[in-house]
């Protein structure tokens, strides 16, 4: 590097360090209490005991992802047996069994309208399927290709827009109609593993292998906030139901809650007896419970305000890879490497 | 470092990245923040307000469970 360039690098490095210190100090200045202290006067919720009500059998290999339809009845799952299955969770019937071009699928999503599903994985693409085609056959509607790394997660904003996260360290907002990238969200310094859209559809959050979570403004295309603190990859991420907080799950065996307006971590959900990574998470309807899936085949249920474990869902014979609470809050669905999905309430 | 980039390009990229990082940090540093006491109170209030409508938290009668097992039929 030239001396001039080295000088500028050094200057920029110093300014970056100063700004990081400023952010740390500004966050500290907001700490007039902790969530733990503020919640001291409320009681831990009683033991939560959920039972398996349905087992969805049909996949022939590990299940990597599942997503509820907004009707709280249908759900879609993706397995490395190369199939996307749309289930009626109440009757356990398979409504659609969609064969995939690539069996290395890592994520799936149901559009809010119920008309489309999407999936993707090691093919680096997000494939969109129309469930409501004229002749009744489910066909690929679009293949969204541009990522240079695996597709880790995808979520529809509507039938015309979808957001994807990728092992190429970026997230992308796509126009499904034209199959083009509308916005590229760059900034993470590690594979993006998971994303979640805010309840008002204005923002989304991403969790990555750089141990941080980022909040993005969908229309502005900018990163508004970055949250650190985890000591390993963030595998799972979700919004607290009021949209003002974010929950992350990591390979460091903990989940964390970050408040968006205080711009900092408020509480950590961890226990010395839990030593394996968090794979997936979903809050209950009120946000008071956090259901988190772990590598040790269990789901732990946490009281989000007291950070105490209040229940366990034990029933899978392998890693719980995905979890979702239906929109009406009536049931939780878990998907596992044991090839089964279970419905609990 | 053998990826076809000249060392000039590599250095130019490093500086661009560093500049972008600083710009991003400036944006993040300048945002408004709320006190933890208010943020915590809002979370707690939301939980309380919605508790009774949270089926997994408060439970519900078996008769209202769409996932309940159907009673076995008896053939008369």
């Amino acid at each position: 590097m030239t001396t001039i360039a080295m000088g500028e690098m050094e200057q920029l490095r110093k300014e970056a360090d100063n700004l990081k210190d400023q952010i740390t100090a500004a966050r500290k200045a907001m700490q007039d209490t902790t969530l733990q202290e503020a919640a001291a006067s409320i009681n831990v919720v009683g033991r939560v005991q959920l039972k398996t009500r349905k087992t969805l059998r049909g996949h022939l290999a590990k299940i990597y992802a599942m997503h509820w339809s907004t009707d709280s009845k249908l759900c879609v799952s993706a397995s490395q047996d190369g199939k996307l299955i749309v289930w009626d969770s109440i009757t356990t019937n398979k409504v659609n069994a969609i064969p995939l071009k690539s069996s290395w699928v890592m994520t799936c999503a149901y559009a809010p309208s119920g008309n489309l599903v999407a999936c993707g994985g090691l093919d680096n693409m997000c494939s969109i399927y129309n469930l409501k085609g004229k002749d009744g056959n489910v066909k690929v509607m679009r293949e969204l290709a541009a990522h240079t790394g695996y597709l880790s997660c995808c979520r529809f904003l509507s039938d015309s827009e979808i957001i994807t996260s990728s092992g190429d360290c970026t997230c992308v907002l796509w126009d499904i109609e034209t199959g083009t990238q509308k916005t590229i969200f760059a900034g993470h310094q590690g594979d993006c593993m998971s994303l979640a859209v805010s309840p008002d559809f204005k923002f989304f959050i991403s969790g990555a292998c750089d141990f941080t979570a980022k909040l993005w403004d969908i229309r502005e295309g900018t990163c508004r906030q970055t949250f650190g603190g985890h000591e390993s990859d963030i595998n799972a991420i979700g919004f607290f139901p009021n949209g003002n907080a974010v929950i992350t799950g990591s390979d460091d065996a903990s989940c964390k809650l970050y408040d968006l307006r205080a711009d900092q971590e408020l509480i950590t959900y961890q226990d010395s007896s839990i030593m394996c990574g968090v794979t997936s998470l979903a809050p209950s309807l009120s946000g008071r419970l956090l259901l988190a899936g772990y590598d040790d085949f269990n789901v732990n249920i946490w009281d989000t305000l007291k950070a105490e474990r209040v229940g366990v869902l034990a029933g899978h014979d392998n890693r719980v890879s995905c979890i979702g609470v239906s929109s009406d809050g009536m049931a939780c669905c878990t998907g596992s490497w044991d090839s089964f999905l279970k419905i609990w309430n | 470092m053998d990826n076809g980039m000249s060392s000039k390009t590599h250095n130019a990229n490093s500086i661009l990245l560093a500049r972008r990082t600083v710009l991003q940090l400036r944006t993040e540093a300048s945002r408004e923040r709320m006190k933890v006491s208010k943020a915590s109170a809002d979370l707690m209030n939301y939980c309380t307000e919605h508790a009774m409508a949270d089926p997994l938290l408060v439970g519900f009668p078996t008769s209202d469970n769409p996932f309940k097992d159907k009673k076995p039929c008896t053939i008369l």
Side-chain angles (χ1 to χ4, degrees):
Chain A
M1 236 187 221
T2 64
T3 317
I4 297 173
M6 262 167 51
E8 185 176 359
M9 270 311 277
E10 193 43 45
Q11 205 187 334
L12 289 168
R13 226 168 296 191
K14 272 196 187 146
E15 192 175 353
D17 284 342
N18 277 342
L19 287 165
K20 284 180 194 163
D21 288 343
Q22 260 181 58
I23 292 171
T24 304
R27 284 171 169 165
K28 211 163 162 100
M30 295 295 113
Q31 287 165 14
D32 53 348
T33 184
T34 63
L35 175 54
Q36 204 96 51
E37 281 164 30
S41 56
I42 60 177
N43 293 323
V44 183
V45 301
R47 190 118 194 103
V48 176
Q49 283 170 317
L50 306 183
K51 295 204 174 101
T52 302
R53 302 294 172 185
K54 306 284 177 186
T55 299
L56 307 180
R57 297 166 214 274
H59 278 303
L60 303 171
K62 294 175 175 167
I63 291 173
Y64 274 79
M66 69 76 51
H67 195 212
W68 281 99
S69 168
T70 49
D71 70 0
S72 298
K73 194 177 68 141
L74 302 180
C75 65
V76 63
S77 60
S79 161
Q80 293 203 345
D81 63 4
K83 292 244 167 37
L84 266 194
I85 298 181
V86 177
W87 308 84
D88 178 323
S89 63
I90 296 179
T91 62
T92 73
N93 288 341
K94 298 175 193 46
V95 177
N96 302 104
I98 306 164
L100 305 174
K101 268 191 201 173
S102 162
S103 64
W104 304 112
V105 66
M106 295 172 68
T107 181
C108 62
Y110 222 123
S113 64
N115 295 331
L116 311 173
V117 289
C119 69
L122 294 183
D123 58 355
N124 297 1
M125 289 195 316
C126 182
S127 301
I128 314 284
Y129 294 84
N130 185 355
L131 297 177
K132 308 285 172 76
K134 279 187 210 138
D135 56 0
N137 279 335
V138 176
K139 285 189 300 223
V140 181
M141 203 180 94
R142 281 295 172 273
E143 281 174 343
L144 308 174
H147 277 301
T148 54
Y150 60 85
L151 205 83
S152 52
C153 193
C154 56
R155 284 294 177 258
F156 285 92
L157 294 181
S158 66
D159 281 3
S160 53
E161 287 180 315
I162 191 167
I163 299 183
T164 56
S165 63
S166 169
D168 68 12
C169 308
T170 70
C171 297
V172 172
L173 169 68
W174 302 84
D175 179 324
I176 295 176
E177 200 56 40
T178 59
T180 56
Q181 299 166 291
K182 270 181 151 166
T183 313
I184 299 175
F185 301 89
H188 273 300
Q189 307 203 304
D191 300 13
C192 294
M193 298 303 292
S194 186
L195 76 98
V197 180
S198 65
D200 64 7
F201 290 90
K202 289 187 184 161
F203 305 100
F204 78 92
I205 42 176
S206 56
C209 293
D210 60 5
F211 310 174
T212 71
K214 283 179 180 285
L215 175 76
W216 307 89
D217 183 316
I218 296 176
R219 300 304 153 193
E220 302 276 305
T222 54
C223 170
R224 285 167 58 106
Q225 289 165 266
T226 302
F227 300 100
H230 275 298
E231 294 169 352
S232 188
D233 302 349
I234 293 177
N235 299 316
I237 199 161
F239 271 95
F240 187 85
N242 70 356
N244 286 336
V246 159
I247 306 178
T248 53
S250 167
D251 271 346
D252 69 10
S254 77
C255 295
K256 286 177 185 290
L257 182 141
Y258 298 93
D259 189 279
L260 297 181
R261 295 173 307 166
D263 184 41
Q264 57 191 279
E265 174 189 329
L266 292 193
I267 206 158
T268 298
Y269 308 99
Q270 69 191 352
D271 188 298
S272 52
S273 64
I274 304 172
M275 290 178 292
C276 61
V278 179
T279 61
S280 49
L281 63 85
S284 71
L285 207 60
S286 67
R288 186 63 195 268
L289 300 177
L290 170 65
L291 295 97
Y294 292 73
D295 281 341
D296 67 359
F297 313 175
N298 290 330
V299 170
N300 289 314
I301 306 179
W302 298 88
D303 177 329
T304 52
L305 300 180
K306 305 292 286 181
E308 284 189 38
R309 232 186 334 173
V310 294
V312 177
L313 303 182
H316 282 292
D317 295 324
N318 206 324
R319 178 184 291 194
V320 172
S321 56
C322 50
I323 192 166
V325 170
S326 55
S327 311
D328 64 6
M330 291 289 287
C332 159
C333 177
T334 53
S336 166
W337 280 10
D338 68 9
S339 81
F340 303 119
L341 294 140
K342 286 181 184 288
I343 310 287
W344 311 73
N345 67 16
Chain B
M1 183 217 63
D2 224 339
N3 61 359
M5 270 201 295
S6 72
S7 94
K8 262 198 193 154
T9 317
H10 180 71
N11 295 334
N13 284 346
S14 301
I15 295 199
L16 266 174
L17 187 59
R19 279 188 202 150
R20 254 185 238 142
T21 304
V22 165
L23 281 172
Q24 178 60 32
L25 285 169
R26 275 191 208 150
T27 310
E28 293 186 18
S30 68
R31 56 157 298 114
E32 297 275 306
R33 290 175 181 82
M34 176 185 280
K35 294 269 187 200
V36 171
S37 54
K38 170 91 172 63
S40 301
D42 284 356
L43 284 174
M44 287 160 59
N45 285 338
Y46 189 89
C47 287
T48 311
E49 278 161 22
H50 294 85
M52 292 317 289
D54 186 343
L56 295 178
L57 180 64
V58 299
F60 47 90
T62 312
S63 51
D64 292 347
N65 191 353
F67 300 97
K68 73 169 183 277
D69 278 320
K70 291 203 171 67
K71 289 216 168 76
C73 298
T74 323
I75 311 225
L76 298 170

